[in-house]
Amino acid sequence: MRAVGTGVEFYAVTDRVAATARRRRAVRVHPAQAVVLGFAAADLVGTGVLMLPLSSRSGEWTNLVDALFTATSAVCVTGLTVVDTATHWSAFGLVVIMLLIQLGGLGIMIFASLIGLVLARRFSVRTRLNAAAESRAIGFDDVRGVVRRIVLISLVIEAITFVFLAPRFGFGYGMDAGEAAWQGLFLAVSSFNNAGFALHTDNMIPYATDPWVCLPMCAAIILGGLGFPVFMELLRRARRPLHWSMNTKLVLWATALLLVVGSVYITALEWSNPETLGRYDPASRVLIGFFHAVQTRTAGFNSVDVGQMHDETWLGMDVLMFIGGGPAGTAGGIKVTTFAVLFFIIVTELRGEGAVNIFGKRLSRAVHRQAITVVLIALAAIMTAAIAIMVMTGLRSDAVLFEAISAFATVGLSTGVTADLPDGAELTLVVLMFLGRIGPLTLGSAIALRQRRILYEYAKERPAIG
């Protein structure tokens, strides 16, 4: 009887262990889900802190929608605001916003991995999967090195930008050492992370003609917009451009091309506009035009009133904002690689060729589907949000479309209507900012949990196209 009892007891314990294992598997978080949940958690915590009386200059509670909008804009490194950053938030609130920007720019999973590395000096398999999913790490075994390099690159570029800005604010604008250092630090973090938050009510308009302020910020924005995978490869193969990956070549070429095209486009159209570039001398007009071409890469600072620009300028900026910067960095948009892939697909189709070849390499057909999916989801999200906001507010379609693209692409440029939107429209932009920062594919895979493998195929048939 004792043996039987032992056997029964053994099987009971085995069943409990198996049940526990099944529960653990059931609640295991997919890496894509971890990225989404991490950003959502940071967003909610930031909202709660910004609502506190300690965070506002008046010492009063900030309402939920305004705090949520600001926290989302900071975590998603966007820069759109519904309250005046310079006058509404206390010093504590501004520090919280800066930390949220830094957290969102580095990436929640990267930051969590860094904490684990500092405290435990090792990565669990799950942590490495999460960090790899967010950083687009090329090698799973190199995740620890990737995390370290991402953090180091971020801090070094922000420090260099600070070294340029802080002395300029001190000696050029008569600020005391503390104020100059704070201005330089905040703008350095906001610039590299492509956030667009500034400490003046009129953003960067006071420094519109100052190259010692504008150009260091532009450099930090461009570097942040390249994406960390590009930095990783440049560090390893800086002197061997022929060995650069397709991703690095696409990002560098597309970034340079769009900066030149954007600068010429904005400067030419606004050259004689007395409300924007027309009031400045020719050299300053070129600087301001270049500055705003850089901002459309998802940074969002402005040195003239964007609301006074011509409609055709807005339309061109819509396109530039929609394209955005490099993947797995601080920039938003559909990414320059997605845009480049679609361009080469079109060229290949027009030539009647079978395979898409870029820089001497054949493009994977899976990338075709991914690029098309990203663009269509982005367009659907932007148009749905724009229509909803127009229904709620009755605003002009061009202004609403500009705000919607700016939110989805995490840019932060505004025609001036965001602060006057009702709560429903603000929440619509919150969803757009979150979707734009996480990325349609990451969010979609997080919802789907896993990719389905279908073990059969249907017969082929071709509908008429065009």
Side-chain angles (χ1 to χ4, degrees):
M1 294 297 293
R2 182 177 299 176
V4 174
T6 303
V8 172
E9 186 175 324
F10 170 78
Y11 285 117
V13 172
T14 302
D15 289 341
R16 287 198 296 272
V17 171
T20 302
R22 285 194 297 269
R23 286 196 298 271
R24 287 179 178 176
R25 286 195 297 268
V27 299
R28 183 172 293 173
V29 178
H30 188 278
Q33 276 187 321
V35 175
V36 175
L37 293 175
F39 271 91
D43 195 357
L44 293 177
V45 171
T47 299
V49 176
L50 290 178
M51 288 179 65
L52 298 175
L54 181 63
S55 297
S56 68
R57 183 167 294 187
S58 65
E60 300 177 351
W61 289 85
T62 300
N63 72 69
L64 174 61
V65 175
D66 289 347
L68 174 63
F69 192 99
T70 303
T72 304
S73 185
V75 171
C76 297
V77 291
T78 304
L80 285 174
T81 58
V82 290
V83 295
D84 187 354
T85 304
T87 59
H88 180 84
W89 303 109
S90 65
F92 175 79
L94 291 174
V95 170
V96 171
I97 290 173
M98 185 179 69
L99 293 177
L100 290 174
I101 291 171
Q102 186 72 80
L103 183 62
L106 281 177
I108 305 301
M109 294 301 104
I110 299 299
F111 181 78
S113 300
L114 175 65
I115 297 299
L117 183 61
V118 171
L119 297 180
R121 297 187 179 277
R122 63 184 179 86
F123 283 165
S124 66
V125 174
R126 179 57 50 180
T127 299
R128 293 164 73 185
L129 283 170
N130 293 340
E134 187 170 53
S135 65
R136 308 294 197 274
I138 297 174
F140 176 75
D141 294 332
D142 193 39
V143 173
R144 180 183 300 186
V146 168
V147 169
R148 286 174 172 166
R149 286 192 290 270
I150 286 175
V151 174
L152 180 62
I153 288 169
S154 301
L155 296 181
V156 167
I157 295 176
E158 289 171 358
I160 294 173
T161 308
F162 169 80
V163 168
F164 276 96
L165 294 179
R168 180 59 181 170
F169 289 134
F171 296 110
Y173 296 92
M175 299 181 185
D176 59 53
E179 184 181 2
W182 169 238
Q183 288 274 351
L185 178 62
F186 190 94
L187 288 177
V189 172
S190 187
S191 296
F192 176 72
N193 290 289
N194 282 224
F197 280 90
L199 297 176
H200 289 281
T201 299
D202 48 1
N203 206 272
M204 299 304 297
I205 292 178
Y207 313 107
T209 60
D210 190 345
W212 296 101
V213 172
C214 294
L215 293 182
M217 290 178 61
C218 286
I221 291 164
I222 293 170
L223 291 175
L226 292 179
F228 294 116
V230 174
F231 275 113
M232 301 301 153
E233 184 155 25
L234 291 179
L235 287 175
R236 294 196 305 268
R237 303 172 179 173
R239 298 182 180 181
R240 293 182 293 170
L242 294 178
H243 294 85
W244 290 350
S245 67
M246 183 189 298
N247 180 76
T248 296
K249 292 178 181 178
L250 284 177
V251 170
L252 293 178
W253 278 103
T255 296
L257 177 63
L258 292 174
L259 284 174
V260 172
V261 172
S263 299
V264 173
Y265 183 87
I266 294 172
T267 304
L269 289 182
E270 295 297 318
W271 186 266
S272 302
N273 186 346
E275 300 299 325
T276 56
L277 272 63
R279 66 178 66 180
Y280 298 102
D281 62 86
S284 296
R285 296 181 197 183
V286 173
L287 174 63
I288 295 171
F290 172 73
F291 184 82
H292 282 83
V294 173
Q295 305 317 309
T296 59
R297 309 310 315 292
T298 80
F301 295 102
N302 65 283
S303 58
V304 294
D305 187 356
V306 175
Q308 298 299 322
M309 289 182 170
H310 297 309
D311 293 350
E312 52 269 32
T313 307
W314 284 358
L315 186 59
M317 294 172 73
D318 285 343
V319 175
L320 293 171
M321 291 190 298
F322 184 73
I323 295 172
T330 60
I334 62 170
K335 312 302 183 189
V336 292
T337 46
T338 304
F339 173 76
V341 164
L342 291 178
F343 172 79
F344 281 106
I345 290 175
I346 293 172
V347 170
T348 301
E349 193 65 27
L350 292 176
R351 289 177 175 176
E353 299 173 356
V356 179
N357 300 310
I358 305 175
F359 299 124
K361 297 289 184 65
R362 182 169 56 86
L363 188 68
S364 170
R365 291 192 179 276
V367 178
H368 300 198
R369 299 193 300 270
Q370 292 173 353
I372 294 171
T373 301
V374 167
V375 171
L376 291 181
I377 291 178
L379 289 174
I382 290 170
M383 295 308 299
T384 301
I387 292 171
I389 294 173
M390 283 189 287
V391 169
M392 286 185 276
T393 63
L395 292 170
R396 292 168 44 192
S397 59
D398 52 357
V400 172
L401 183 62
F402 190 97
E403 304 294 311
I405 294 176
S406 181
F408 177 83
T410 68
V411 179
L413 289 172
S414 175
T415 60
V417 303
T418 299
D420 299 323
L421 294 177
D423 288 350
E426 289 183 15
L427 292 175
T428 302
L429 292 181
V430 166
V431 174
L432 269 185
M433 287 189 287
F434 191 82
L435 177 61
R437 180 57 181 144
I438 298 301
L441 283 181
T442 301
L443 187 59
S445 60
I447 295 172
L449 295 179
R450 60 186 177 86
Q451 294 183 347
R452 295 178 57 194
R453 176 174 294 180
I454 300 176
L455 301 179
Y456 58 89
E457 292 184 354
Y458 292 104
K460 290 183 178 180
E461 185 174 350
R462 298 184 61 177
I465 301 296

